[in-house]
Amino acid sequence: MAVLGLDHVNIEGPPSLIEACRRFYVDVVGLREGARPPFRSRGFWLYAGEVAVVHLSERDVPEAVQESGPFAHFALLCTGLEAAAERLQRHGVPFERDGVPATGHTQLFLHDPAGWRWS
């Protein structure tokens, strides 16, 4: 087995949270809605190119902030750092910029509407 990269992240929550996440990942991040298998639950699959990288699933849970378990954040490999920072600013999304030692990479850390931290 060889790990080739992140396949997808699944976010579950009540319909209002899932809709807020759908808008965030489409309007702010730039993913697009695409085909989703006919699961019993409602939801969305959001694509980067031909790959569904974020799965959103409606689940009847309280609106209160849910624990995310052991995950600190998830990361997406991106190009166009300054364009991404400008897009976040345009949408009023706070973020932190941080350099990765010894690599020359820069990370932008932010939170989505579900409270997930990602870079």
Side-chain angles (χ1 to χ4, degrees):
M1 179 176 84
V3 177
L4 302 177
L6 179 64
D7 182 63
H8 73 274
V9 173
N10 189 301
I11 299 171
E12 293 183 337
S16 60
L17 175 62
I18 296 306
E19 178 57 26
C21 287
R22 185 195 65 76
R23 287 191 313 266
F24 178 86
Y25 284 103
V26 171
D27 297 342
V28 177
V29 176
L31 299 179
R32 67 171 177 80
E33 282 185 55
R36 179 180 185 265
F39 295 118
R40 285 180 280 166
S41 65
R42 291 180 31 91
F44 306 94
W45 276 19
L46 307 180
Y47 285 72
E50 298 302 312
V51 180
V53 295
V54 176
H55 298 178
L56 303 174
S57 303
E58 288 185 7
R59 182 173 157 208
D60 196 16
V61 295
E63 289 281 346
V65 176
Q66 302 296 309
E67 277 192 44
S68 62
F71 300 104
H73 72 274
F74 67 93
L76 302 173
L77 180 61
C78 301
T79 59
L81 176 66
E82 292 309 318
E86 288 173 13
R87 186 176 191 155
L88 293 170
Q89 290 171 336
R90 189 171 63 247
H91 284 278
V93 177
F95 64 92
E96 297 173 42
R97 187 183 298 242
D98 195 19
V100 180
T103 67
H105 293 118
T106 301
Q107 295 175 305
L108 301 179
F109 288 93
L110 57 127
H111 289 85
D112 74 5
W116 285 83
R117 183 170 188 244
W118 64 280
S119 69

